[in-house]
């Protein structure tokens, strides 16, 4: 193999190596962060439940004006 | 193709489908589906942007053009890399800071909701059509490489797995599977290059061969010809437009963990794509020496090399390289399907609905639209087998007429001049397209098509401010302030990110200086080729490298 092709091949191999090692490390970090995120699309997975607001006696229907 | 080759491709597709299903458990709300929960890190982002950008067209189309017109086609890729640097430093981080999911969403923030819905619907339909073209190229190329003449089967092979994991896994599946497909794609390219170079006696001898037989074939910035300096300059303009408003690219970058991470992802993607361009251009050059006779079309050159040479080297090699090509094609398909679904759900469905949909409703709609856009892509690809040339020309015409006006109203006036209002933006978008269309009535079709981006862009540049000045200006104070704050936050933003439009540190300013000088040197080099100057190639390449260096310094400094 000539030196020019060799240089291009080594660059390609280096890119593959770097892009295996670092993204795997980054992916582990992502998994650690998102694992405990609540599932908003699935009520069984845990919608955030807000406490009921007290009823205002002057506006019992709760309409906003 | 042997049974082993087919086995390798089928194994790869099965792994992709299983991976997509496994990743689907990360989808917990609509932002996970649209922008991968805005959790993407620099290297994963760079891989997914590169995989979205690089398709089978690069291997087959660019290799074929290198075969017929020479090495200067490499600028199609390199100008794209320079444009990614510019977008990563000057546009993407600020759009990311606004926490938008699509470019039309920015149009609502900047102008009004109607423009968002209009552009979102138009773009979604256009992308479906483009996806059909991508799929058609993949199917026809696979037939040439393998000799298995079953167009319908190839369409299903390329699209079914992509559609399934796009529907199930959304942007998460696209991002993570793109990273693996990106690696397989490079691995395939790593096999083809040394075989091609060995067959033609090595790269130095190949260059010597063309210097004596056809010097223009190895000129990086030719003075004349099909891919001359004019082509390089034109493709630079289109690349800048692409890197700053293309929904598929930007949506991946909107998934960045922070504005600075988005900028880093784009710069890293440019850095890795630049050397990779050699892998698909040089084999085309090798075929020009090995097969002096003409092929029916340029796109047949690389498939000929693969089909005739790889089986002679080792069993299974063709299957491995074909899996790399399939990977290269699946990643842009999945990215674009995800983008179409986002456009229809976020920019059309959501804006037309009277009440804000729930997360569950949004996820249902986005999955249905993913499926429908995939089916529409298959439908378009199926009919393209009966008349492809007309469809390609219509696509080029629409891109030429409407993409530059969109770039003008989004980036130039959207970020640069707040006096332009929604009436001006709408008039610029439609009027720019009509001005470009008028070119088709005046000039021959080929010339009009080449000039359409410049004419329509110029039309939008003129019409938008005139229409804005003729109509009432009602300043959208809160929105204008949000955009200003996104570009120049006082200190760190709400996410703790401190990336500014103008760098704060001397090192950051030095990076900006490198970008400016590099870009200027590149332009001097390209334009000097008009007079046949020897400095053309060194200035153009040196300028590009200086731009890259400036980009790295800029995103890694305050």
């Amino acid at each position: 193999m000539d030196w020019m092709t060799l240089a291009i091949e080594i660059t390609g191999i280096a890119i593959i190596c770097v892009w295996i090692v670092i993204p795997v490390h980054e992916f582990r970090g992502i998994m650690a962060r998102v694992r405990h995120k609540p599932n908003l699309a699935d009520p069984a997975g845990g919608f955030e439940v807000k406490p009921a607001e007290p009823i205002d006696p002057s506006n019992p229907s709760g309409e906003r004006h | 193709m042997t049974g082993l080759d087919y086995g390798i491709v089928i194994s790869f597709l099965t792994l992709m489908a299983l991976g997509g299903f496994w990743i689907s458990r990360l989808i917990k709300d609509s932002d996970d589906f649209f922008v991968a929960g805005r959790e993407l890190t620099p290297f994963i982002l760079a891989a997914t942007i590169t995989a979205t950008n690089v398709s089978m067209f690069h291997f087959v189309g660019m290799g074929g053009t290198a075969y017929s017109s020479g090495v200067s086609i490499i600028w199609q890729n390199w100008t794209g890399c320079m444009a990614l640097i510019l977008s990563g430093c000057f546009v993407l981080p600020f759009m990311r800071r606004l926490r938008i999911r699509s470019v039309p969403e920015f149009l609502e923030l900047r102008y009004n909701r109607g423009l968002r819905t209009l552009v979102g619907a138009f773009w979604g339909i256009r992308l479906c059509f483009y996806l059909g073209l991508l799929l058609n190229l993949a199917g026809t190329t696979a037939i040439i490489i393998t000799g298995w003449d079953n167009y319908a089967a190839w369409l299903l092979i390329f699209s079914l797995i992509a559609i399934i994991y796009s529907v199930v896994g959304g942007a998460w599946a696209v991002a993570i599977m793109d990273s693996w497909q990106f690696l397989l794609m490079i691995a395939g390219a790593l096999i083809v290059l040394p075989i091609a170079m060995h067959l033609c006696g090595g790269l130095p001898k190949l260059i010597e061969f063309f210097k004596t037989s056809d010097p223009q074939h190895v000129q990086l910035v030719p003075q004349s010809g099909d891919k001359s300096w004019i082509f390089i300059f034109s493709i630079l303009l289109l690349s800048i437009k692409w890197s700053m408003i293309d929904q598929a690219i930007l949506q991946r970058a909107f998934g960045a963990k922070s504005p600075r991470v988005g900028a880093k992802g784009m710069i890293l993607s440019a850095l890795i794509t630049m050397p990779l361009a050699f892998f698909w251009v040089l084999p085309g050059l090798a075929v020009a020496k090995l097969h002096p006779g003409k092929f029916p079309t340029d796109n047949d050159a690389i498939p000929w090399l693969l089909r005739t040479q790889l089986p002679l080297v080792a069993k299974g090699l063709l299957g491995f390289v074909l899996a790399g090509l399939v990977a290269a094609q699946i990643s842009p398909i999945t990215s674009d399907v995800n983008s179409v679904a986002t456009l229809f759900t976020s920019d059309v469905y959501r804006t037309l609905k009277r009440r804000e949909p729930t997360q569950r409703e949004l996820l249902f709609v986005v999955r249905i639209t993913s499926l429908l856009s995939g089916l529409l892509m298959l439908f378009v690809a199926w009919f393209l087998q009966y008349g492809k040339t007309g469809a390609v020309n219509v696509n080029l015409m629409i891109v030429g007429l409407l993409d530059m006006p969109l770039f003008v109203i989004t980036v130039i006036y959207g970020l640069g001049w707040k006096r332009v209002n929604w009436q001006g933006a709408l008039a610029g978008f439609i009027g720019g397209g009509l001005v470009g269309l008028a070119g088709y009535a005046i000039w021959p079709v080929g010339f009009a098509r080449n000039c359409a981006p410049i004419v329509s862009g110029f039309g939008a540049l003129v019409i938008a401010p005139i229409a804005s000045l003729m109509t009432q200006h009602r300043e959208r104070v809160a929105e204008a302030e949000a955009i200003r704050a996104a570009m120049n936050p006082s200190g760190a933003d709400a996410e703790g990110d401190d990336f500014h439009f103008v760098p704060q540190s001397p090192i950051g300013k030095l990076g900006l200086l490198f970008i400016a000088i590099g870009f200027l040197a590149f332009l001097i080099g390209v334009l000097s080729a008009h007079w046949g100057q020897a400095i053309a190639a060194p200035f153009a390449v040196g300028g590009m490298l200086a731009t890259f260096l400036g980009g790295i310094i800029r995103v890694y400094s305050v």
Side-chain angles (χ1 to χ4, degrees), chain B residues 10 60 71 124 189 218 232 257 342 345 353 383 419 423 438 442 447 471 480 513:
Chain B
I10 291 166
V60 177
V71 76
V218 282
I232 299 169
K257 208 176 155 204
T342 302
T345 309
K353 225 172 147 52
F383 279 97
R419 177 62 184 84
Q423 294 95 329
I442 300 168
F447 185 73
T471 49
L513 189 67

Side-chain angles (χ1 to χ4, degrees), chain B residues 382-435:
Chain B
W382 175 257
F383 279 97
L384 282 175
Q385 65 178 317
Y386 302 113
K388 188 177 166 186
T389 315
V392 170
N393 287 340
V394 168
N395 185 55
L396 285 175
M397 187 175 162
I398 293 170
V399 168
L401 292 179
L402 290 175
D403 274 20
M404 280 310 277
L406 189 58
F407 169 73
V408 168
I409 64 167
T410 306
V411 177
I412 296 181
Y413 291 135
L415 292 173
W417 193 26
K418 63 180 180 181
R419 177 62 184 84
V420 173
N421 56 15
W422 74 266
Q423 294 95 329
L426 184 65
F429 180 54
I430 296 173
L434 289 175
V435 170

